[in-house]
């Protein structure tokens, strides 16, 4: 990891002039460090797109330096960024759980995983619309943009776009927030370690003198946090919260809420594994994917929701537990068979537990089952990795990878024999995969004579990390490609917006170009969503 200081970088004006002269795309800050890790570059690009250049610069320094104190940040960023700007950027990062403050070491640390999850906000909103309603998705989106919010402030500032004849706007927001908290979509946020202790406040004052800022400006920055208007609480909101017993118990007035990303990842994992089981065994056992999805959704409910299970292990379930999570068409199909829903469901689960490659269910008792998440995730990872290798290096390379994954280490002649490919072509593919860091070459029987040595090929130990890195690099390139396309088509977008106002810009050529531009953007967005889903499965889905 390169730890080049920001102070040694050229000035932003020079970089922007050079980029403008060459026609390049300025997608990173002029003071950003040169980090070769694609995951880091993708995370910083997400931060820049969501919060701006100043926040990205501070996040880049924290990531490159593995945590820094406020004084070190000010020294690295001086004189390009003043103390109030750095402090505001840190507060934005902490507000959105992208950084944390460690009181023991007095340092700030950047959270890479949280920055990568910014791309998944639309998935979270779409999932919320399906499991609750649009009002809950609107409340969740407002909370995402704010980062953290008190109960009172959320009810006071969020208004529903679609009004209801039965409930007021605040009552709708209150009901949506209650559902989000009850299901586990939103959780209480831990108190932030205050970065404004006496030592750091003194550092801010000292550095503000270095940057020659007037003291009155600093007083104006601190003043709004202590005004009575900011701390004013609407009595109607308090009355709504205290008017019902379940609202008062579930939604305390001073509780600060944040989005629970683990809930949505578990929910999306349930959908993904359900589709996988349906594709693998759907012909043998109808609706088997719905059974696995319902079992995982039951686990999500017990793990994140307010419901409690009589069993200590939330991964265990009975057929009766799945009924409330299964689709109505599947229940109707089971009900039409002889024996009823529960009996047919039990027989299907028992039959599903006997299937292998991969193992789907483990039977603990006559009516007690557990989904083998580890086996399913390993199978899914191998399947996706093989698909990535096939797309990049060809079907023969994917076949060779599967052979080495099963048989271990082999010589090139044996690999050619198993893959049914000529030896010359096999060696070319092996060396190509070796350059891509997919395979390793190991020497056996070392001796003075080179003729006594044997060379065997095997899958690299870092193969999974290489796949994740390549996926992140492709996603990062697509994001830059889309950003470039938007800049190129900015004139078409403006002309399309003005076409409804003035007839002068309404031309057939402009409409055709604008339609082509929109189709290109739609393809890029679709590719970004696919790659982000691949990265989420390979990196973020847990094996347990």
């Amino acid at each position: 990891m390169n730890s080049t200081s920001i102070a040694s970088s050229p000035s932003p004006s020079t970089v922007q002039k050079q980029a403008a002269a060459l026609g390049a795309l300025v997608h990173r800050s002029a003071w950003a460090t040169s980090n070769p890790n694609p995951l880091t570059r993708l995370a910083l690009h997400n931060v820049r797109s969501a919060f701006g250049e100043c926040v990205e610069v501070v996040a880049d320094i924290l990531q490159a330096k593995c945590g820094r104190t406020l004084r070190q940040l000010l020294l690295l960023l001086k004189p390009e960024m003043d103390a109030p700007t750095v402090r505001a950027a840190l507060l934005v990062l902490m507000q959105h759980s992208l950084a944390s403050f460690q009181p023991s070491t007095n340092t700030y640390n950047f959270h890479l995983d949280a920055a990568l999850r910014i791309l998944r906000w639309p998935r979270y909103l779409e999932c919320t619309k399906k499991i609750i309603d649009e009002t809950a998705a609107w409340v969740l989106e407002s909370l995402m943009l704010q980062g953290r919010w008190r109960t009172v402030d959320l009810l006071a500032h969020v208004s529903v776009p679609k009004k209801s004849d039965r409930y007021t706007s605040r009552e709708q927001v209150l009901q949506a927030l209650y559902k989000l908290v009850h299901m586990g979509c939103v959780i209480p946020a831990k108190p932030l370690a205050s970065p404004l202790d006496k030592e750091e406040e003194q550092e801010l004052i000292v550095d503000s003198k270095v940057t020659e800022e007037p003291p009155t400006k600093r007083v104006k920055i601190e003043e709004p946090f202590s005004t009575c208007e900011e701390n004013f609480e609407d009595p109607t909101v308090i009355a709504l919260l205290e008017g019902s017993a379940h609202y008062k118990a579930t939604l305390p007035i001073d509780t600060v809420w944040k989005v629970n990303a683990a809930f949505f990842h578990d929910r999306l994992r349930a959908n993904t594994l359900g589709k996988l089981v349906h594709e693998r065994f759907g012909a043998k056992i109808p609706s088997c994917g719905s059974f696995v999805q319902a079992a995982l959704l039951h686990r999500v409910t017990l793990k994140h929701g307010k419901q409690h299970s009589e069993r200590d292990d939330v991964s265990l379930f009975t057929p009766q537990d799945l009924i409330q999570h299964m689709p109505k068409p599947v229940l109707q199909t089971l009900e039409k068979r002889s024996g009823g829903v529960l009996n047919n469901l039990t027989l299907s689960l028992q039959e599903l537990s006997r299937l292998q490659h991969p193992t789907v269910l483990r039977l603990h008792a006559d009516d007690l089952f557990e989904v083998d998440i580890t086996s399913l995730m390993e199978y899914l990872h191998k399947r996706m990795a093989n698909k990535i290798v096939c797309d990049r290096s060809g079907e023969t390379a994917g076949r060779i990878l599967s052979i080495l994954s099963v048989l271990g280490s082999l010589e090139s002649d044996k690999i050619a024999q198993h893959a049914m490919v000529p030896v010359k072509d096999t060696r070319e593919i092996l060396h190509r995969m070796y350059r891509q860091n997919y395979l390793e070459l190991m020497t056996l029987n070392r001796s003075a004579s080179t003729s006594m040595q044997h060379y065997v090929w095997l899958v690299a130990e870092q193969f999974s990390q290489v796949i994740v890195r390549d996926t992140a690099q492709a996603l990062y390139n697509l994001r830059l490609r889309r950003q470039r396309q938007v800049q190129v088509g900015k004139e078409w977008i403006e002309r399309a917006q003005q076409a409804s106002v003035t007839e002068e810009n309404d031309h057939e050529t402009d409409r055709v170009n604008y339609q082509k531009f929109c189709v290109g953007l739609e393809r890029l967005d679709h590719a970004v969503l696919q790659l982000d889903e691949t990265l989420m499965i390979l990196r973020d889905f847990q094996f347990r």
Side-chain angles (χ1 to χ4, degrees), residues 95-158:
Q95 179 76 7
H96 290 82
S97 301
L98 300 176
S100 59
F101 179 74
Q102 300 295 334
S104 58
T105 58
N106 205 27
T107 58
Y108 296 87
N109 297 306
F110 179 70
H111 301 310
L112 181 68
D113 294 338
L116 292 173
R117 286 196 292 265
I118 295 177
L119 284 176
R120 296 186 195 132
W121 287 0
R123 295 182 187 273
Y124 300 167
L125 297 176
E126 189 65 27
C127 182
T128 306
K129 288 181 182 179
K130 291 181 179 179
I131 62 179
I132 306 180
D133 53 25
E134 293 186 1
T135 304
W138 180 264
V139 174
L140 188 71
E141 182 180 3
S142 303
L143 184 58
M144 285 178 178
L145 297 177
Q146 187 69 18
R148 297 165 184 249
W149 232 344
R150 280 200 321 154
T151 307
V152 178
D153 298 332
L154 191 148
L155 295 176
H157 293 85
V158 177

Side-chain angles (χ1 to χ4, degrees), residues 88-99:
L90 286 173
L91 290 177
V92 169
L93 291 173
M94 297 176 68
Q95 179 76 7
H96 290 82
S97 301
L98 300 176

Side-chain angles (χ1 to χ4, degrees), residues 184-464:
C185 306
V186 173
I187 57 175
K190 296 181 179 179
L192 294 175
S194 176
L196 298 178
D197 54 9
K198 294 182 180 180
E199 181 181 353
E200 295 204 358
E201 187 69 20
Q202 185 64 27
E203 291 179 359
L204 279 174
I205 296 175
V206 172
D207 286 288
S208 65
K209 294 180 180 179
V210 175
T211 55
E212 297 182 358
E213 287 190 15
T216 55
K217 184 177 180 180
R218 177 161 186 78
V219 174
K220 291 182 180 179
I221 293 175
E222 298 295 336
E223 201 173 78
F225 293 98
S226 59
T227 57
C228 298
E229 183 179 356
E230 183 72 17
N231 298 326
F232 176 74
E233 295 178 354
D234 194 338
T236 58
V237 175
I238 303 298
L240 279 176
L241 290 173
E242 296 181 349
S244 178
H246 63 283
Y247 287 156
K248 187 176 181 180
T250 307
L251 305 174
I253 296 176
D254 293 329
T255 302
V256 180
W257 304 99
K258 70 174 184 178
V259 178
N260 184 12
F263 167 84
F264 292 101
H265 280 184
D266 290 345
R267 186 96 189 183
L268 294 173
R269 183 184 65 178
N271 299 336
T272 302
L273 294 183
K275 294 179 182 178
L276 174 66
V277 174
H278 176 73
E279 294 176 2
R280 187 75 175 86
F281 303 111
K284 297 181 180 180
I285 304 176
S287 305
C288 59
S290 299
F291 303 154
V292 174
Q293 182 179 356
L296 294 176
L297 291 180
H298 174 69
R299 175 177 177 169
V300 172
T301 303
L302 297 179
K303 181 179 178 182
H304 299 284
K306 297 297 182 180
Q307 299 181 10
H308 299 282
S309 175
E310 298 177 356
R311 294 179 294 271
D312 296 335
D313 192 355
V314 296
S315 60
L316 301 178
F317 65 92
T318 61
Q320 184 66 37
D321 298 331
L322 305 187
I323 294 179
Q324 59 177 337
H325 301 286
M326 292 179 60
K328 290 183 178 180
V330 177
L331 291 176
Q332 293 174 357
T333 303
L334 294 175
E335 188 178 3
K336 293 178 181 179
R337 300 178 186 174
S338 59
V341 176
L342 193 60
N343 185 32
N344 290 315
L345 180 57
T346 304
L347 294 176
S348 299
L349 292 177
Q350 291 177 354
E351 185 179 358
L352 190 59
S353 64
R354 291 190 288 268
L355 298 179
Q356 301 291 330
H357 307 296
T359 304
V360 181
L361 296 180
R362 288 200 295 263
L363 180 62
H364 290 265
D366 293 339
D367 59 346
L368 194 62
F369 301 88
E370 179 186 3
V371 179
D372 194 346
I373 300 178
T374 303
S375 177
L376 292 175
M377 287 300 302
E378 289 177 353
Y379 178 82
L380 182 59
H381 276 206
K382 291 179 181 178
R383 179 175 171 177
M384 297 187 70
N386 185 270
K387 178 64 176 175
I388 292 174
V389 173
C390 288
D391 292 341
R392 185 177 181 184
S393 304
E395 295 183 358
T396 305
R399 196 186 315 160
I400 291 174
L401 180 68
S402 301
I403 293 171
L404 292 177
S405 300
V406 175
L407 301 180
S409 57
L410 290 174
E411 296 180 350
S412 58
D413 297 342
K414 294 291 183 181
I415 295 174
Q417 182 180 355
H418 286 288
M420 295 181 291
V421 180
V423 178
K424 180 180 178 181
D425 297 341
T426 302
R427 289 176 178 173
E428 292 179 358
I429 295 174
L430 288 173
H431 283 279
R432 190 190 315 150
M433 297 176 68
Y434 176 77
R435 290 193 299 269
Q436 294 170 348
N437 297 322
Y438 292 161
L439 301 180
E440 292 180 353
L441 182 62
M442 186 170 59
T443 305
L444 301 178
N445 299 331
R446 291 180 177 271
S447 62
S449 176
T450 56
S451 60
M452 299 297 295
Q453 296 180 356
H454 298 274
Y455 300 94
V456 295
W457 297 89
L458 68 159
V459 180
E461 294 182 0
Q462 305 296 327
F463 173 70
S464 58

Side-chain angles (χ1 to χ4, degrees), residues 2-11 30-33 75-76 78 80:
N2 194 344
S3 59
T4 306
S5 173
I6 280 184
S8 62
S9 301
S11 62
W31 302 301
T33 58
L75 291 176
L76 288 170
K78 187 176 62 177
E80 288 82 5

